[in-house]
Amino acid sequence: MVCRDRTPSIMSESSAEAVLDRPGRAELPDTAALEVVDARTHNLKGVSCSIPHGKVTVVTGPSGAGKSSLVFDTLFAEGQRRFVESMSTYAQQFIQQLERPPVGEIRNLLPAVALEARNSVKNARSTVGTLTEIHDLLRLLFSHLGTVGCPEGHGAIRERSREELVDDLVEGEAGERFTLTAPVVRPETGADDALEELIRQGFFRVWIDGELVRLEPGAAWKKSWDPLEIVLGRYRADPEKRTRIRDALEEGFHLREDLVIARSEGGETRFLSTDLRCPLCGEGVRRPVPPLFSFNSPLGACPTCSGFGRVMGIDGRLVIPDPGLSLEEKPIAPWNSKSRRRYYTRLRKACRERGVPLDVPWEELPEEDREWIWEGGRGFKGIQPFFDRLERKKYKMHVRVLLSRYRSYDRCPDCGGARLQPEALAVTLRGETLPELTARSVEALREWVGERGWTGEERARAGDVLDLLEERLETLHRVGVDYLTLDRTARTLSGGETQRIHLATALGSGLTGTLYALDEPTIGLHPRDAKKLLGLLRELGDRGNTVVVVEHEPVVIEGAEHVIELGPGAGEQGGERVFEGSVAEMLDSGTLTARFMNGSGSELARRHAARYRRESGASSAGEELARKPPVLEVLGASEHNLREIDVAIPGEALVAVTGVSGSGKSTLIEDVLFEGYREWAGEVAPAPGRFREIRGLEGFDEVEMVDQSPLGRSSRSNPITYVKGYGALRKLFARTPVAEELGFTPGHFSFNVDKGRCPACKGTGEEEVDLQFLGEITVICDRCQGRRFRPEILQVRLKGKTIAEALDLTVTEALELYGDYRPLERRLEDLDRVGLGYIRLGQPTSTLSAGEAQRLKLAGFLKKRRKKSAGRLFLFDEPTTGLHLSDIALLYKAFRELIRRGDTVVVVEHQLDLISRCDWIVDLGPGGGHRGGDLLFSGPREQFLAAEIESPTREELRAHLGM
């Protein structure tokens, strides 16, 4: 079996028991090791290596050295191909055939599972709870142990036998004296004949509109009498009347299946039923089953929002973007066009009649006046009716476009965002509804499950579900994602969080004899939690699995049982196996990774720390920063788990925002600071996180958020075009003698215009072939052979290279070849400065990793030369993702270049090497989720290291520097 970004289900009880009962290291496969011979994928240069089974092997090396090419594009790809080939010929016709990777031989390859550091979940219904299958376990618990409640809020409901109903009536549940009636449903046909038969049987008294009515033979069954309550008799709560009451109930249940009504003389009503029915309101509910608690099932989903928890509406912030404008200044955005001026005319007239001032800002108008303008009133149709009319014209394209500008998703008014229908929300488990439990973090739910003190009877009814739930929560805690809430949408998770969740699922699956390929599982993980993750990886190995990890984190490398290092450089300079063996042997080998790791956590680390202080003057610089007033202040940040914190950020400094995963770092920088800036700048953006005030935004020319989102999906975008260097390269080609002789301009050397690009593939180098029922496939263009340009354009050469060959050069090669042309050299140097010297100039940006895309964005900022006096504020989200220790040194120099120009750089970061070089530390914590959100420290790095605070980051940083 081969699986990518997916792990097998763990709902099998037998598999779960196998996992729990397996003692120590499982029996290893007969073969000693997985052997790779002569791998040549991408830049690999005939790499041969041996990966021991049942152990954790780390593949490391500089970024671009070929690690992913070896692990994923060779090992996993070959395993996937063999899996497809093992299927029947019939099944293979529905699956894309995979090419064999360029490798001499792979021996002893196991079934493979690839867990990559990317989030491929796009479904808005998928949550952390459904992704980890905890939601499924909770649904089973609620269906077996849940207490059913009345959807109208009248308390718990339980099934009662007929004898119990008789006991309750005899004991006075319906009062001292009561009347029993049976509500009979009016048949669609023959209603009068049915009533005549009831009267003939002696049921001539009925209860209508609170009164006892006697019917005579021949009476008609009116349509309003539906149901018709047939009076069974009047009784007194007396043990001696028990037999009569029981007979009356039996008679009533015969007339109306399982429902009898008891009416007391005081006017109170009780509904008697052996089904799950509320005795106070008569509302019947279904017996709890797992689909009832699923928002993906029609049985359980809220009918209003269809289980999404949100409904589409109109966003008032978009309709009135500037509430400081008065009605006279036309604040209503959709009416500010020539074709809708009449709406303002009607509004002014209506406001004069009502006495609403036209010169007062919208935000200062009384609430009732604003509501009147929005909803409309007598003689005036407001903003909401305007949009309601547009909704009826959605068949027109321009109307749909107009509505899309003012759309928003609001919490469902019926379920309150819980996604489930009232019947499911009425079921509780130990006083908690299912949405209330899923709103908790993994850590909080773990504590809740452990604190309940489940009885033996409850455990017997739950079977193995409780044990599986406790095991799964414990595993998620160990992989470092216990701060995540179970109802968080899965598509909002980072790649590292998604990978660790899949890893936790893999641990619960009980698979043995499997090859696990992981791509930097420590992304987004605090160094403290990286040690827990290492223990889980070893546990996978102990179960008889082979674990191969692409990793840069020193903690994981040091804990590996086998190390393979590729290098010595990146791109064309990489692709070679420079080391293979144990960690101790690697540290003595003198490789690039060994040199950097030997400078951490030892006497050399103290020397490095002293060198950093000498180079940057950290002590004096930190004191100077502390004396200066901050250029930016975020006051009263309280979004998510932030607890009204005030954060000061100095100018022209490298600032690190640190803390364990889930402590509130991204919330502070992205949701509060950046979105607050966008709102302040008047941009149309999501509402920012809650804060009291942000001071100092006017002191920056611009604020840039540099996250790990992809640059785009277009194959025409590439690194050289992104940094605006393609124009300089085309000018160079246009100046060659051959180009001048043929009359070629710089435009001829562009694959985006007709005069230069291949007419067959339109400059993409590929063509799509429609295979009818097999879909479309992409093949290399026959005419240009993937070179993108017309044949006559490829006649022109610059230093022996055509324009197509020039785009195939790496940044380092292009610098050597065309470095004497200053306009192009500057752009290439910016790419090389951020550690992207190994990528090719024409490589599509859609193929770059998240870390490479982020560094390419940084190179784009380096090329800009500021013209204004104020600096820029850069906000980076874990810029060291995917970087080797040597590349982090290059990244640090690029940050210092921005600061030298007068900019301020803020990084959300876990990587200790980079944190140790920052000028200012903002530390949040001390834990994640509800245990985080506090400001532990804000100040110079040296003061942070010396501070007496409970900070996991401070402890790890001091250990890293050997202090």
Side-chain angles (χ1 to χ4, degrees), residues 394-411:
K394 285 195 300 184
Y395 57 88
K396 299 180 180 180
M397 175 62 74
H398 72 279
V399 174
R400 294 199 298 271
V401 172
L402 177 64
L403 286 171
S404 66
R405 297 175 184 171
Y406 305 102
R407 289 287 193 197
S408 67
Y409 286 95
D410 304 317
R411 180 172 293 184

Side-chain angles (χ1 to χ4, degrees), residues 343-368:
Y343 292 105
Y344 275 116
T345 303
R346 298 169 186 171
L347 174 62
R348 293 190 188 98
K349 180 181 178 182
C351 286
R352 293 190 187 98
E353 294 176 355
R354 182 182 169 90
V356 178
L358 299 175
D359 57 348
V360 175
W362 170 267
E363 59 188 1
E364 297 180 11
L365 288 174
E367 181 64 30
E368 57 270 18

Side-chain angles (χ1 to χ4, degrees), residues 704-708 854 857-858 861 874-877:
E704 296 283 355
M705 182 71 219
V706 189
D707 55 17
Q708 297 177 12
Q854 192 176 46
K857 295 175 186 177
L858 175 58
F861 294 127
F874 290 101
L875 309 174
F876 285 87
D877 181 18

Side-chain angles (χ1 to χ4, degrees), residues 648-675:
I649 296 176
E652 299 185 26
L654 181 55
V655 180
V657 181
T658 64
V660 300
S661 303
S663 59
K665 305 182 297 298
S666 296
T667 299
L668 173 65
I669 298 303
E670 295 185 37
D671 299 342
V672 176
L673 177 53
F674 183 64
E675 296 300 341

